[in-house]
Amino acid sequence: LVTAFSLGLAGVLTVVGLLFIKGSRFIERTPTFALASRWLPTVSALVVCLLGGVITWGALSKMMSG
């Protein structure tokens, strides 16, 4: 069972990696995606930070009230 799971996981990760490589070539050729690719890392980092702050605030408020 562990061997089957490991082989399946390796196969899926290989396919995902190949899709990322092919997708990045497509994105580099499309001007709309080129503009988005400049801003997307910054926007996603801000979203992650905001969500982390909200989750932290919620956890702290529960600790202080209860």
Side-chain angles (χ1 to χ4, degrees), residues 30 33 44:
T30 308
F33 288 125
S44 65

Side-chain angles (χ1 to χ4, degrees), residues 4-51:
F5 176 79
S6 298
L7 288 173
L9 182 62
V12 168
L13 289 176
T14 300
V15 169
V16 168
L18 291 173
L19 287 175
F20 269 109
I21 291 170
K22 296 291 185 183
S24 67
R25 290 181 186 160
F26 171 73
I27 287 174
E28 288 173 353
R29 285 187 247 141
T30 308
T32 305
F33 288 125
L35 178 63
S37 68
R38 267 189 266 158
W39 291 101
L40 195 57
T42 303
V43 171
S44 65
L46 286 172
V47 168
V48 168
C49 287
L50 287 172
L51 286 174

